[in-house]
Amino acid sequence: MAKKPSDRAEPFGLDDEYRVLRPGFNQRVYELVRQVPRGALTTYGDVARTLGAVQVSRHVGNALAALRDHGGGEPVPWQRVVNSKGKISFPPGSPSFERQREALEEEGVTVSDDGRVPLRERRWTFVPCD
DNA sequence: CCTGTGACCGAAG
DNA sequence: TCTTCGGCCACAG
């Protein structure tokens, strides 16, 4: 049963029906990212996994992208989210890249010119409870 | 409907 | 380590 788009593992914070995502997904992403402390890092995949399904990792990125528009509200430390390769997910040199780089260095995280960050050493582990 | 695109992931070589 | 490739989900054209 529940074989809609593809047979996925048991999501959590996701839907049983057609859509894997359900309204409110973005907010859950924001809540989690807010848990990442200053100077720590996490990945789109880790957030997705914590929400129940790593295959929606792209949507974690979409959620953060949407953040740029609506503006206000409690701030979300989006700069602490990088990709699983341990690099900033923007083309090196692009405005977005530089913005994230500065935000990270401001909190003591080193960023190489090609966007690499010390993920292994600073990777944050989300608390099991929730 | 089919295609392309996105702040992605992981296995394989 | 790095690169390539197939998968994945939603949405706009």
Side-chain angles (χ1 to χ4, degrees):
Chain A
M1 66 165 297
K3 76 151 105 55
K4 289 314 151 45
S6 63
D7 248 315
R8 58 186 65 64
E10 26 272 295
F12 188 79
L14 306 175
D15 201 324
D16 296 318
E17 289 303 329
Y18 286 109
R19 300 257 161 57
V20 171
L21 302 181
R22 67 182 183 189
F25 176 79
N26 285 19
Q27 287 309 315
R28 300 209 56 179
V29 169
Y30 303 151
E31 288 177 38
L32 278 177
V33 176
R34 286 200 198 91
Q35 291 179 29
V36 182
R38 185 187 167 75
L41 299 167
T42 187
T43 72
Y44 301 94
D46 284 351
V47 173
R49 222 172 345 251
T50 301
L51 288 179
V54 68
Q55 57 266 41
V56 298
S57 52
R58 306 189 77 139
H59 292 285
V60 171
N62 293 337
L64 297 184
L67 213 47
R68 296 191 282 208
D69 306 313
H70 80 28
E74 304 91 274
V76 177
W78 54 270
Q79 70 272 27
R80 297 168 195 164
V81 187
V82 298
N83 62 35
S84 67
K85 303 190 210 64
K87 296 172 51 172
I88 286 180
S89 256
F90 282 115
S94 66
S96 298
F97 176 92
E98 294 305 337
R99 205 177 311 135
Q100 182 164 11
R101 181 180 192 174
E102 285 177 44
L104 284 175
E105 299 191 316
E106 191 283 321
E107 31 187 273
V109 179
T110 61
V111 182
S112 66
D113 290 340
D114 68 330
R116 175 159 294 144
V117 295
L119 179 59
R120 294 292 297 274
E121 301 85 337
R122 294 168 175 280
R123 195 166 196 158
W124 175 253
T125 354
F126 290 102
V127 301
C129 174
D130 179 74

